[in-house]
Amino acid sequence: MESTGGDGKAPGGPRVLVVGGGIAGLGAAQRLCGHPAFPHLRVLEATARAGGRIRSERSFGGVVEVGAHWIHGPSRGNPVFQLAAEYGLLGEKELSEENQLVETGGHVGLPCVSYTSSGVRVNLQLVAEMATLFYGLIDQTREFLQAAETPVPSVGEFLRKEIRQHVAGWTEDEETKKLKLAVLNAFFNLECCVSGTHSMDLVALAPFGEYTVLPGLDCTFSKGYQGLTNCMMASLPEDTVVFEKPVKTIHWNGAFQEAAFPGETFPVSVECEDGDRFPAHHVIVTVPLGLSMFSVGSLLGSSLSSWRLCRMKKCFCVSPRCSRE
């Protein structure tokens, strides 16, 4: 989300602020740092570390991913894969042409073995049968992209509705039916991870087909996903990222002045929780997945109705005019 209000520019070039030091914020900073037109850049990170929801812990005798786990669709069209390859964080198998060309349909591969909560091994054929059912329904959800109307509002509701119809035709004993439903529930939870949501009920059915499915077998980082953001962080000039600066709100479309920059005016002022203010000509806001609309509206200094309007219009450029609607 970017604002470009105001005509005045600092003599040495425009001042740009990136809000958030996760992978999106670091990626934006990387791109801008390499451009001579943006010599004045700062990233404001709310916590004491960069990486956001990418975090690898090594205090358990090995690498444990607290946040992101794998690269989904690791092929040339995936910028995360490209960066990981550039930094030498992947092995020969992950980098092989064969792995990159595999068409998975965007679905996570089946486990080689599955167990119930009581430790009983689940028949692999049953797991494959439920996977075929579940992912077949996921593929159906993408058919509503151009539809004038949808039968239900969310992906979760559509999946449950269709699954109930299938369950009605099952002829197995009750224990087998319960096991099948438990496997389907596991696929539901896995799909929530892939879609970055707590529930598929929060994912709208109509635009779900917009998701671009990239080829490639999903792969992990043997030394931890955080190695990627560590490399990105190391590539930035020293002091680019300012830590422990949670942003309270962003003031748009003004003529803000700062004592440190006498004679200059800035169209945007970013106010932090500790009272510090950072003037800027351009602001890029990287919002974490799952942040509520109310929180985003407060952060952007705009009304909740404006934020809903931006989302409905698929508008990711928040300008001063948009923030006043």
Side-chain angles (χ1 to χ4, degrees):
M1 304 168 192
E2 180 182 6
S3 167
T4 56
D7 297 322
K9 295 290 187 291
R15 294 190 171 273
V16 181
L17 283 178
V18 177
V19 178
I23 191 169
L26 294 177
Q30 259 193 334
R31 182 68 61 89
L32 292 175
C33 279
H35 199 294
F38 301 99
H40 306 294
L41 172 70
R42 285 291 180 274
V43 178
L44 303 181
E45 166 55 37
T47 69
R49 56 174 289 275
R53 299 190 178 196
I54 294 175
R55 180 179 173 187
S56 305
E57 284 290 339
R58 290 177 170 78
S59 54
F60 304 100
V63 177
V64 176
E65 302 291 8
V66 180
H69 281 63
W70 65 84
I71 302 178
H72 197 44
S75 51
R76 293 179 182 178
N78 188 326
V80 174
F81 175 76
Q82 291 177 355
L83 279 172
E86 178 184 331
Y87 290 128
L89 301 176
L90 301 175
E92 290 185 14
K93 181 180 179 182
E94 290 78 13
L95 294 172
S96 69
E97 195 75 16
E98 181 182 3
N99 259 37
Q100 295 179 47
L101 294 177
V102 173
E103 292 287 350
T104 65
H107 309 319
V108 178
L110 296 183
C112 57
V113 61
S114 300
Y115 294 92
T116 66
S117 57
S118 60
V120 177
R121 187 166 181 166
V122 181
N123 183 281
L124 186 58
Q125 184 177 349
L126 184 147
V127 175
E129 179 187 343
M130 292 301 97
T132 300
L133 169 58
F134 184 82
Y135 287 129
L137 294 176
I138 284 289
D139 290 339
Q140 287 183 35
T141 63
R142 305 187 189 283
E143 298 174 3
F144 294 101
L145 179 58
Q146 304 299 334
E149 294 184 14
T150 58
V152 291
S154 72
V155 174
E157 292 170 276
F158 175 81
L159 292 175
R160 286 197 302 274
K161 175 176 174 291
E162 294 296 318
I163 287 172
R164 281 195 294 268
Q165 294 179 6
H166 283 272
V167 171
W170 289 350
T171 58
E172 296 91 346
D173 58 84
E174 288 303 312
E175 285 302 313
T176 302
K177 289 180 180 179
K178 288 181 180 179
L179 182 57
K180 283 187 170 183
L181 288 172
V183 172
L184 286 172
N185 186 61
F187 282 118
F188 256 98
N189 292 334
L190 188 57
E191 191 63 31
C192 287
C193 295
V194 172
S195 296
T197 180
H198 296 295
S199 167
M200 296 306 293
D201 289 348
L202 301 175
V203 180
L205 180 58
F208 192 61
E210 293 178 353
Y211 182 81
T212 301
V213 177
L214 297 174
L217 286 177
D218 294 347
C219 64
T220 59
F221 293 81
S222 60
K223 296 183 179 180
Y225 210 126
Q226 192 174 324
L228 176 61
T229 50
N230 287 346
C231 288
M232 295 174 72
M233 182 69 187
S235 73
L236 299 176
E238 192 176 354
D239 299 330
T240 297
V241 181
V242 183
F243 293 104
E244 297 184 325
K245 283 294 178 185
V247 172
K248 179 180 180 182
T249 190
I250 302 174
H251 305 277
W252 308 90
N253 200 33
F256 304 100
Q257 295 185 332
E258 188 75 18
F261 311 106
E264 293 184 35
T265 59
F266 301 86
V268 190
S269 177
V270 177
E271 180 182 355
C272 296
E273 295 283 357
D274 61 6
D276 283 353
R277 288 176 179 255
F278 293 82
H281 296 104
H282 307 275
V283 176
I284 298 174
V285 182
T286 59
V287 181
L289 291 172
L291 195 63
S292 70
M293 287 191 295
F294 178 81
S295 299
V296 173
S298 174
L299 172 67
L300 296 178
S302 60
S303 66
L304 187 57
S305 60
S306 302
W307 177 240
R308 285 200 186 102
L309 183 63
C310 286
R311 290 189 12 145
M312 286 190 294
K313 290 181 177 179
K314 300 176 184 176
C315 173
F316 298 96
C317 177
V318 180
S319 67
R321 179 168 57 178
C322 182
S323 69
R324 297 200 309 273
E325 288 180 303

